Amino acid sequence: MEFRIQSTGELKTQGEVRRMHSNTSLPRVWDADTCAFLGIDPVLAAPKPEPSAAYKQVGRNGAVQDANGNWVEAYAETDMFADTTEDGVTTTKAEHETAYQARLDADAAEGVRTSRDAKLAETDWTQVADAPVSQEDWTAYRALLRSIPEQEGFPNEVTWPVEPE
């Protein structure tokens, strides 16, 4: 839990407040009287909001008073990326976003391919000449598994083929 120092508005943890008053014996649980004596206000937890759009992030931003006069955690939304210049080379926000999305897509594609490869490995036995299954159905199923990377929307939208009976 955090506390707001009334005189400065700074936010401190309970341990930091205890260190500020190292020569004072303080109770284990702090009630309203203890907070008043120390000149602090408790900062209550508030739910963290979800980002309003892709490539946005939400982070703590101090504390604000709510309608009841309680101090609560405040959050601020910021862009994940901004234009940067490094060694004279400028990278735009859009280029950062594109690179980030490419990494996300590559990770998703790897996960889909791993699942697909596991399904192929689990059905290898169906391709043995004397397997007690319809070889044509299983061959078609395995071909559909292999063609998953060519699907529209891959890797984020995948339609998995249904295993033959």
Side-chain angles (χ1 to χ4, degrees):
M1 176 172 223
E2 288 183 321
F3 295 89
R4 182 185 168 277
I5 308 300
Q6 293 171 348
S7 61
T8 65
E10 292 178 88
L11 298 181
K12 302 282 185 183
T13 64
Q14 188 175 32
E16 291 170 328
V17 173
R18 283 185 182 277
R19 283 190 289 283
M20 289 171 55
H21 300 278
S22 59
N23 293 327
T24 305
S25 179
L26 296 170
R28 180 175 272 230
V29 178
W30 295 358
D31 60 12
D33 291 335
T34 305
C35 288
F37 171 76
L38 295 172
I40 60 175
D41 296 308
V43 177
L44 306 176
K48 181 178 179 180
E50 292 295 319
S52 64
Y55 312 121
K56 298 268 187 186
Q57 59 190 4
V58 175
R60 278 291 308 279
N61 187 27
V64 295
Q65 268 187 310
D66 66 9
N68 299 324
N70 297 314
W71 287 93
V72 296
E73 296 173 335
Y75 292 91
E77 182 177 75
T78 58
D79 289 326
M80 289 175 71
F81 305 103
D83 293 351
T84 58
T85 302
E86 189 173 318
D87 297 329
V89 177
T90 300
T91 306
T92 66
K93 177 182 177 232
E95 289 170 329
H96 284 296
E97 290 172 351
T98 300
Y100 177 74
Q101 189 61 51
R103 282 193 306 274
L104 292 178
D105 290 346
D107 290 347
E110 182 180 347
V112 170
R113 284 189 176 101
T114 299
S115 297
R116 182 220 33 207
D117 292 349
K119 289 179 183 290
L120 284 168
E122 290 168 5
T123 61
D124 279 348
W125 66 272
T126 64
Q127 301 307 293
V128 178
D130 60 349
V133 294
S134 166
Q135 292 257 313
E136 289 176 8
D137 290 348
W138 283 95
T139 300
Y141 169 73
R142 290 167 56 86
L144 288 171
L145 286 175
R146 286 189 192 93
S147 68
I148 283 176
E150 287 96 47
Q151 286 183 6
E152 177 102 14
F154 177 83
N156 299 309
E157 296 175 22
V158 174
T159 302
W160 292 95
V162 178
E163 234 180 67
E165 295 181 21

